[in-house]
Amino acid sequence: MFRASLIITFDVSVSVSSFFRKAVKRIMAKKSIADVEVQGKVVLMRVDFNVPQDDAGAITDDRRIRMALPSIESVLKRGGKLVLMSHLGRPKGKGPEPEFTLAPTAVRLGELLKSPVAFASDTVGPDAEQKIKTLKNGEVVVIENVRFNPGEKDGETVYAGKLAGWADIYCNDAFGTCHRSEASMVAVPKVMVGKPKVVGFLVAKEIQYLSETLSNPQRPFVAILGGAKVSDKINVIKNLLSICDTVLIGGAMAYTFSLAEDGQVGKSLVERDKVPLAKELIGMAGDKLMLPEDTHCGDAFSSDCNKQVVASGKIPDGWEGLDIGPATAKKYADIVREAKTIIWNGPMGVFEMPPFDFGTQAVAKAVAESSGTSIIGGGDSAAAIEQLGFADKVTHVSTGGGASLAMLEGQKFEAVEILDEA
Ligand code: 3PG
Ligand code: MG
């Protein structure tokens, strides 16, 4: 319901690039945290500290925290009192669930800032109240997971009013959550009538990179789309087919396309109910849409299974596709290396499980070698590019998985739209 109201459907007659040019203007017209006087003021900043953790609760990737540092430090250095709020994971929304506590993120932030960071064990309760009231200029407190309160998911105004009550200034620096309309993203700034509501540096940078790239791409413009499901990327594929020169498909979603071409997929992961849609996409794409020509498959989902490379659509019974094959990897890498603009979202295979990281690795290396502008979507593709050591050789790695996909679909973000114009 929420998504439907925000999706902008493009038909061929609509100028996509003019939409994105407007989007750039719009975001650049938003007031930024740098534009407000924060000395002695309480700044309520929505960040996305939804970071991956291992079973013991240790943070395995702190990129989202590091990427929020410019906004955080800007407030602290200028003598603001900073209250950070975020969600972590998907708790039930019925009170505290220890495995979803934000406490480890406060510790990690303290390490990055090289000074202790306070943590409040609630969001609108007595601990938050006491810790926020006693904040001194230049100090920061992280409050507990906003999704522990049912009002967060519901986008409810009573809860939002209480959160807003802490603050003189609202700042959205949670790019990874900008496609959500939860209370801390939308209702909170909405109730802060008459108070400054601004974007942080991370949100501004992410939206600017993505929208500028889409509105004014140097050509050839190549999109690489992978991951497990076609259903996650239907609108992205449709939108990108209308603006890119080539869309390369990898990952398990390639097997659903293979089924649409009457291929044999063995026991590969497929979405049978999406076959008609895959047929439709193949039909509308002409030769812009490239599908793998070979597949690296295994007889079990493990590194040490028996393996073989077969032509696409020729996966034997009892075998499953786990990566693009070497011929496809080479072909895709050649195309990517020559591209002047590259957008990548979703791995080409099971990159966490060598040797099925080969295709993702070949493409990542080609992205790193290309001289063009390269934007890597968040989530798995960001993890892959980091893990493979190429993160500093691309133009931009997004901190948002779902949010960057939403931008590639052409969605507008209410959470940004409602903030103050510059
Ligand atoms: C994400 O990791 O995608 C963001 O933090 C948003 O989380 P969500 O998908 O649970 O809303
Ligand atoms: Mg998500």
Side-chain angles (χ1 to χ4, degrees):
M1 192 176 58
F2 151 74
R3 289 168 72 85
S5 66
L6 285 183
I7 289 176
I8 290 144
T9 333
F10 294 113
D11 66 44
V12 214
S13 61
V14 175
S15 160
V16 174
S17 60
S18 88
F19 164 76
F20 280 109
R21 253 193 298 277
K22 281 185 206 136
V24 178
K25 275 203 199 119
R26 211 173 19 233
I27 177 64
M28 302 220 318
K30 288 296 166 192
K31 192 178 272 182
S32 129
I33 188 65
D35 302 329
V36 284
E37 175 58 71
V38 298
Q39 163 84 26
K41 304 263 173 59
V42 178
V43 179
L44 180 61
M45 187 182 288
R46 180 43 159 109
V47 286
D48 187 340
F49 282 0
N50 183 24
V51 290
Q53 289 166 284
D54 64 18
D55 292 340
I59 296 170
T60 53
D61 180 356
D62 64 359
R63 254 188 85 243
R64 283 179 161 176
I65 303 176
R66 284 186 280 117
M67 298 290 275
L69 285 175
S71 295
I72 291 170
E73 286 177 329
S74 159
V75 171
L76 299 180
K77 283 191 181 134
R78 291 182 289 145
K81 301 174 180 180
L82 185 59
V83 179
L84 295 174
M85 61 176 170
S86 176
H87 73 287
L88 188 140
R90 293 177 177 172
K92 294 188 191 70
K94 292 183 175 152
E97 290 174 58
E99 67 269 40
F100 296 114
T101 179
L102 274 168
T105 68
V107 175
R108 186 75 195 104
L109 177 63
E111 289 161 7
L112 293 167
L113 291 172
K114 297 187 178 60
S115 75
V117 168
F119 177 72
S121 59
D122 51 26
T123 57
V124 294
D127 198 32
E129 175 165 26
Q130 192 263 329
K131 292 201 166 114
I132 295 169
K133 291 247 158 83
T134 53
L135 271 183
K136 298 196 185 70
N137 293 355
E139 286 184 351
V140 51
V141 59
V142 175
I143 61 174
E144 186 52 290
N145 193 337
V146 285
R147 284 189 185 168
F148 287 167
N149 191 301
E152 171 65 4
K153 269 277 166 196
D154 298 346
E156 196 237 85
T157 47
V158 177
Y159 181 54
K162 289 181 187 165
L163 285 169
W166 299 138
D168 305 304
I169 296 163
Y170 175 86
C171 177
N172 172 356
D173 211 23
F175 177 72
T177 319
C178 277
H179 58 317
R180 304 287 183 222
S181 302
E182 294 166 19
S184 61
M185 298 299 298
V186 173
V188 171
K190 270 193 178 162
V191 298
M192 287 177 66
V193 180
K195 294 180 176 172
K197 298 170 280 288
V198 301
V199 289
F201 299 125
L202 176 61
V203 164
K205 177 176 158 191
E206 293 257 21
I207 295 187
Q208 197 169 326
Y209 264 120
L210 276 155
S211 48
E212 266 174 12
T213 304
L214 290 164
S215 67
N216 195 17
Q218 300 277 93
R219 296 187 183 276
F221 180 10
V222 176
I224 312 153
L225 296 176
K229 292 176 169 177
V230 184
S231 50
D232 289 342
K233 303 215 166 111
I234 298 161
N235 290 312
V236 175
I237 297 173
K238 285 189 178 163
N239 196 21
L240 289 179
L241 281 172
S242 71
I243 41 182
C244 292
D245 300 297
T246 308
V247 176
L248 306 173
I249 301 286
M253 73 174 168
Y255 311 125
T256 300
F257 281 102
S258 184
L259 270 186
E261 295 184 316
D262 296 322
Q264 290 164 17
V265 294
K267 57 175 184 179
S268 303
L269 189 65
V270 287
E271 291 174 283
R272 290 190 189 273
D273 60 324
K274 294 294 176 295
V275 169
L277 183 95
K279 279 194 178 139
E280 183 199 323
L281 290 171
I282 291 169
M284 71 182 269
D287 51 12
K288 276 190 175 185
L289 188 73
M290 289 189 62
L291 298 169
E293 58 191 55
D294 59 349
T295 303
H296 195 185
C297 36
D299 62 356
F301 191 86
S302 86
S303 277
D304 53 11
C305 62
N306 294 306
K307 304 166 185 85
Q308 62 172 317
V309 173
V310 300
S312 288
K314 299 269 190 292
I315 302 177
D317 287 347
W319 292 72
E320 62 187 303
L322 296 170
D323 193 11
I324 54 174
T328 308
K330 181 175 183 321
K331 190 170 174 184
Y332 283 10
D334 289 345
I335 292 169
V336 166
R337 225 177 275 111
E338 297 305 313
K340 289 279 174 286
T341 305
I342 302 158
I343 291 216
W344 182 13
N345 201 303
M348 298 290 97
V350 191
F351 75 96
E352 309 90 336
M353 201 168 75
F356 302 108
D357 58 343
F358 181 84
T360 302
Q361 199 156 157
V363 169
K365 189 160 178 283
V367 174
E369 285 166 1
S370 97
S371 59
T373 301
S374 45
I375 311 273
I376 315 297
D380 278 352
S381 3
I385 204 99
E386 266 311 307
Q387 185 185 310
L388 299 170
F390 295 119
D392 57 350
K393 299 198 174 60
V394 299
T395 313
H396 181 66
V397 182
S398 177
T399 55
S404 67
L405 277 178
M407 282 207 71
L408 298 180
E409 286 180 353
Q411 281 191 38
K412 290 192 288 179
F413 295 141
E414 187 184 11
V416 175
E417 296 278 309
I418 58 175
L419 302 177
D420 297 344
E421 302 291 321

